[in-house]
Amino acid sequence: MSAPVRTRRALTAAALVAVAALGGAGVALAAPAGPPPASGIDPVRAGLPLFGTAQRPATGDTAPTTVAPRATTTSRPPATSRATSPQTTTPRTTTTPGTTTTTVPPATTPTARPEGIATTPCTATARACVDLASRTAWLLDGDRIVRGPVAMQHGGSEYPTPTGTFTVQWKAEQYTSREFGTPMPYSVFFAPGGVAFHEGRQDTPSAGCVKLVLDDAKAWYSYLQVGDEVQVH
């Protein structure tokens, strides 16, 4: 073997060791650009393996392949729902084509106390009315005064006349108090404890009863019936 051949083989072996050290990094050994010398080196080079992954670009009329960019899809953020304002219930408006109707809920009316009878402290449900402060009494028929005001005498501090709404319990034309032994003509009993309208003196307090002069006591006895309402204020 000639010296040039041995030299080329040594260089080739060194190159192979260098390529192996690179660990397959993709380095390609390029073939000499010129034609092979006539010294017999071609068979040696032809038997060498081709290392590396680099390939020469193909020649010819083939147009390069153009890769279209991927379409990017942009997702819109979800629509944000608007906050719903609180509904109002008063008034309610209904709109139809060409017509607008507004409905106002009915106003709440408080329950009114029955109107009092003019010049008396009592209401129209009473058939007999008594005002202790003014020492007067009335007979009533709905909102109409039948008799009164008339003078009367009520109980003192020891036996006060009770106040409130009562009903006639029973009547006695001639009656005498069992507790005090006092006559009580034309008695109309309306409150517990024997409290009644009756005829009596006007210059002394009673033991809780409502004392009237004779004519008024007769009128009370005749007009009031069992179950009639009596109001004492």
Side-chain angles (χ1 to χ4, degrees):
M1 182 182 298
S2 64
V5 173
R6 287 196 302 268
T7 301
R8 284 185 177 276
R9 286 188 175 182
L11 292 176
T12 301
L16 292 175
V17 172
V19 171
L22 290 177
V27 180
L29 297 178
S39 58
I41 300 178
D42 286 340
V44 176
R45 197 174 71 178
L48 295 177
L50 180 63
F51 289 91
T53 57
Q55 297 181 359
R56 293 181 180 179
T59 60
D61 297 334
T62 304
T65 303
T66 303
V67 179
R70 293 183 179 179
T72 303
T73 304
T74 304
S75 59
R76 294 182 179 179
T80 303
S81 59
R82 295 181 179 179
T84 304
S85 58
Q87 296 182 349
T88 57
T89 58
T90 306
R92 181 178 299 171
T93 301
T94 303
T95 303
T96 57
T99 304
T100 301
T101 303
T102 302
T103 303
V104 179
T108 303
T109 304
T111 303
R113 180 179 179 271
E115 292 295 331
I117 306 302
T119 72
T120 80
C122 300
T123 65
T125 58
R127 298 282 284 178
C129 177
V130 176
D131 183 10
L132 299 178
S134 63
R135 290 179 54 189
T136 52
W138 296 262
L139 291 177
L140 306 175
D141 182 13
D143 58 357
R144 184 173 65 91
I145 297 175
V146 175
R147 190 180 181 98
V150 301
M152 62 85 180
Q153 183 61 269
H154 55 76
S157 58
E158 187 175 0
Y159 301 102
T161 301
T163 59
T165 300
F166 310 94
T167 55
V168 174
Q169 302 299 315
W170 60 288
K171 302 186 333 180
E173 184 174 354
Q174 296 297 326
Y175 183 79
T176 299
S177 171
R178 297 178 183 177
E179 184 177 358
F180 301 101
T182 304
M184 301 169 54
Y186 304 102
S187 292
V188 179
F189 295 91
F190 63 87
V195 176
F197 295 106
H198 65 84
E199 186 270 331
R201 294 175 57 177
Q202 297 295 300
D203 57 348
T204 59
S206 69
C209 291
V210 177
K211 297 191 297 182
L212 303 165
V213 298
L214 181 58
D215 289 344
D216 293 332
K218 288 181 179 180
W220 256 248
Y221 182 83
S222 175
Y223 183 76
L224 295 177
Q225 303 300 318
V226 174
D228 285 352
E229 184 175 304
V230 176
Q231 294 182 15
V232 180
H233 295 272

